[in-house]
């Protein structure tokens, strides 16, 4: 008797359309996450990579550790940053957090 009940339930459930309707909310959630979270983050990362790649001497930069300085020399992977009069450090370009706008007003002035 129980096998006949199982066969009747298996034959009655089409499964195709119902299974697709169950996926619609998950697809909708993924689309919302894509447009509101993932895509904007990718665009910001792309802009940051372009900004760091375009670093040139005399640009003012902020390193990942929060050190602010002026770029004196740029290589493919490294940049020399002057953080005080006569004090230069070599940093990896990919660790630069920001390139400040030229002619911007310093925060303490």
């Amino acid at each position: 008797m129980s096998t006949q009940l199982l066969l009747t339930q298996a034959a009655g459930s089409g499964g195709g359309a119902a299974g697709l309707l169950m996926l619609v909310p998950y697809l909708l959630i993924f689309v919302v996450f894509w447009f509101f979270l993932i895509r904007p983050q990718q665009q910001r990362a792309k802009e940051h990579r372009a900004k760091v790649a375009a670093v040139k001497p005399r640009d003012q930069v902020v390193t990942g550790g929060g050190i602010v300085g002026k770029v004196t020399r740029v290589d493919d992977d490294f940049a020399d940053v002057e953080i005080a009069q006569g004090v230069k450090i070599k940093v990896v370009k990919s660790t630069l957090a920001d390139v400040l706008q030229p002619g911007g007003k310093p925060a303490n002035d």
Side-chain angles (χ1 to χ4, degrees), residues 2 5 21 32 37 42 46 62 68 71-72 76 79 85 88 102:
S2 64
L5 181 64
L21 285 176
V32 167
L37 294 174
Q42 287 176 340
K46 184 178 178 181
V62 179
V68 179
V71 177
T72 58
D76 289 337
Q85 187 71 27
K88 294 181 183 178

Side-chain angles (χ1 to χ4, degrees), residues 17-67:
L20 186 62
L21 285 176
M22 289 175 50
L23 287 178
V24 169
Y26 293 113
L27 292 174
L28 185 63
I29 290 171
F30 177 75
V31 168
V32 167
F33 270 98
W34 176 261
F35 280 105
F36 288 113
L37 294 174
I38 299 170
R39 190 168 176 253
Q41 179 61 32
Q42 287 176 340
Q43 289 176 340
R44 276 187 297 240
K46 184 178 178 181
E47 291 171 1
H48 181 261
R49 281 191 305 269
K51 214 189 260 192
V52 169
V55 167
K56 59 189 180 303
R58 296 195 317 250
D59 280 347
Q60 192 168 6
V61 295
V62 179
T63 65
I67 299 172

